[in-house]
Amino acid sequence: MTDLKLADISFGGIPVHRQLSAHSRDLARRVVDELAGQLPAYSALPSEELRNEITRVAYQCIQGFAEVLRTGELPGREQLALIRESAAHRAEEGLVLDSVISAYHLGAQVVLDTLSPMVGPKDVQGILTLNRVLMQYLQRVTAAGVGGYFQERQAAFGVEHFAQQALLDALLAGSPTQEAADRAGIRLPARFVVLSLSVGAHLEERTPGVDPVVAGRRKLRRLRMELERHVPGTVLSALSVDGGLALLPVPSGPAGERATASAGDVPEAVADWADGVLGHMTRGSGAAITAGIVIAAPDGVRDGARLAGEVRKVAQASGRPPGLYRLADVLLEYQLTRPGPALTQLSSLLAPLAGKPELLETLRAYLSGGMDRRSTAERLSVHPNTLDYRLRRITALTGLDATRPADLARVHAALTAYDAHENL
């Protein structure tokens, strides 16, 4: 700073830096009283901490500002080390950042309130200069506090993240989990909602000129944010921009009362709750999401994750729209797609259609449209006669007639098996 008149700022005939130095201990106690009275996060701190560490930091800040007025020099990084250390302690204790920042501003307000009664009509220039310097000092203090706070939070997050991933790995491996849960500080729920997720691309990921990596990371951040916002308790997840796995504690209350340890049995209330969470994730991320859901006890997460993934893949392979799917929603398709000689033979029934996408598309549209000739033609944007021709071609090539009720079951099964063979 180059303002050499700071030391001359006086109210009531006494230089401000001297007033602050002489009364800094009393001011520090007043600051702490204000913190405890106005900020719930500080009122919840142990009284010993308020009297000692917090008061000491307030005292150092007041003395630091008095020194700025005396010397005309703002504090450097080393002088602000105490602020960084104190903010790191608050982060470690779990105080939110807005409370920490508010504490600095409350301290500055106490200083101004103390000096205000001494200000006279001739002190206008002095109070303006004092306010300007106080804002500059507060800017330095706030920057140091934010830096210390986030340095601690990043370190803590790294430890927490590592411990949570170790717990997730143990659950997926079917290994003993209690020790990993203790290290992560997590009380294992009786049951997890296991979600296998497939996440589509956000529009920005396909927009020319937009970095798809950055757009994908933004999408991923929103996915995680919505999970944390709408799921009580700790979510264990392994997510990428394309999807992944998430373990959600089964909610307490009506949604979780009927949840059982049977992975394939997902009660309606739990499914509705999970579907709501998925809706928030879809809207927040701006991407289509398909999910398979099962319920599993901690020792059944490995098998539950496998089943959830299979349910999701079956839903996708059978042409289902994005959404949440239980085993009960895809029972027939699931059973028809189990590996074995039957799957191979069923799939081979439609092998003659390989390389003829227009015929496969026609067959899918005709079946999903309830075998309605006119609506299927409209959906495919073709003349009804063209639809009839394609259906006759399918019959000629495969021997299966989708227009005959007697053949419908085999046609459905063959198409399901064919898609499974191609996509699973």
Side-chain angles (χ1 to χ4, degrees):
M1 292 178 61
T2 58
D3 194 336
L4 302 178
K5 298 181 180 179
L6 294 182
D8 298 331
I9 299 176
S10 301
F11 300 140
I14 304 174
V16 172
H17 70 88
R18 291 184 182 174
Q19 295 185 47
L20 294 179
S21 294
H23 299 93
S24 56
R25 296 195 183 279
D26 288 338
L27 282 172
R29 285 190 285 268
R30 286 187 56 192
V31 168
V32 173
D33 288 342
E34 289 295 320
L35 297 183
Q38 296 192 41
L39 299 176
Y42 280 83
S43 65
L45 292 175
S47 58
E48 180 182 357
E49 183 176 357
L50 288 170
R51 290 194 307 270
N52 294 321
E53 182 182 354
I54 305 302
T55 301
R56 177 171 59 88
V57 174
Y59 170 78
Q60 292 286 352
C61 286
I62 295 167
Q63 284 283 6
F65 183 57
E67 190 66 9
V68 169
L69 295 177
R70 188 185 71 82
T71 65
E73 296 292 334
L74 287 170
R77 185 181 180 86
E78 291 184 3
Q79 294 169 290
L80 293 170
L82 177 69
I83 302 297
R84 293 179 62 87
E85 181 183 358
S86 175
H89 290 168
R90 303 294 80 76
E92 185 179 21
E93 293 163 353
L95 271 70
V96 293
L97 182 60
D98 56 358
S99 294
V100 178
I101 300 303
S102 295
Y104 304 146
H105 289 263
L106 271 177
Q109 189 62 54
V110 168
V111 169
L112 291 178
D113 290 345
T114 300
L115 296 173
S116 292
M118 307 175 192
V119 177
K122 298 180 180 180
D123 297 322
V124 173
Q125 187 59 47
I127 195 66
L128 290 175
T129 301
L130 181 70
N131 275 327
R132 175 174 57 82
V133 176
L134 181 57
M135 290 301 100
Q136 291 174 331
Y137 178 72
L138 194 58
Q139 180 184 22
R140 293 285 180 96
V141 169
T142 300
V146 170
Y149 184 96
F150 275 109
Q151 186 175 15
E152 171 59 30
R153 283 306 303 147
Q154 286 174 348
F157 176 79
V159 173
E160 292 170 5
H161 179 71
F162 179 81
Q164 290 181 11
Q165 288 304 118
L167 174 57
L168 178 59
D169 291 344
L171 287 165
L172 292 175
S175 304
T177 55
Q178 191 55 58
E179 184 178 345
D182 292 341
R183 284 198 299 269
I186 295 174
R187 182 179 179 180
L188 288 173
R191 289 168 297 277
F192 284 104
V193 170
V194 183
L195 293 179
S196 175
L197 303 164
S198 176
V199 180
H202 188 279
L203 180 61
E204 291 178 348
E205 294 178 78
R206 298 190 295 257
T207 301
V210 175
D211 188 334
V213 175
V214 174
R217 288 174 179 169
R218 282 166 51 85
K219 178 184 70 177
L220 180 57
R221 183 176 68 247
R222 292 171 185 149
L223 284 170
R224 290 173 173 157
M225 185 185 304
E226 294 302 320
L227 268 176
E228 293 175 1
R229 180 179 297 169
H230 298 288
V231 177
T234 301
V235 175
L236 300 175
S237 66
L239 298 176
S240 70
V241 295
D242 300 318
L245 183 78
L247 304 184
L248 288 51
V250 170
S252 58
E257 286 175 357
R258 292 187 56 250
T260 70
S262 173
D265 179 17
V266 181
E268 200 73 35
V270 176
D272 288 344
W273 171 77
D275 190 52
V277 173
L278 196 70
H280 288 297
M281 294 173 68
T282 299
R283 289 187 292 273
S285 67
I289 304 175
T290 301
I293 177 176
V294 302
I295 289 179
D299 60 2
V301 165
R302 179 176 61 177
D303 293 337
R306 175 188 53 77
L307 178 57
E310 290 174 348
V311 168
R312 173 184 58 78
K313 290 177 182 178
V314 166
Q316 291 177 297
S318 58
R320 302 295 183 93
L324 185 74
Y325 294 95
R326 300 173 292 177
L327 178 60
D329 299 322
V330 291
L331 272 178
L332 178 60
E333 294 91 340
Y334 181 86
Q335 191 59 41
L336 286 172
T337 55
R338 295 309 85 201
L343 175 65
T344 302
Q345 288 196 30
L346 276 173
S347 175
S348 68
L349 294 177
L350 296 184
L353 302 186
K356 299 176 175 60
E358 75 284 356
L359 297 184
L360 285 168
E361 180 187 18
T362 298
L363 184 58
R364 289 193 186 95
Y366 184 68
L367 295 177
S368 63
M371 288 75 71
D372 185 292
R373 178 173 168 270
R374 186 172 299 278
S375 65
T376 301
E378 291 177 356
R379 179 178 174 184
L380 293 172
S381 299
V382 300
H383 193 276
N385 290 341
T386 301
L387 173 66
D388 292 339
Y389 169 76
R390 290 183 181 180
L391 291 174
R392 288 195 299 270
R393 284 278 295 149
I394 292 171
T395 301
L397 290 169
T398 65
L400 298 173
D401 187 350
T403 65
R404 290 181 65 238
D407 281 3
L408 273 181
R410 293 188 75 200
V411 172
H412 273 288
L415 185 59
T416 299
Y418 181 88
D419 286 340
H421 214 269
E422 293 292 314
N423 299 309
L424 290 183

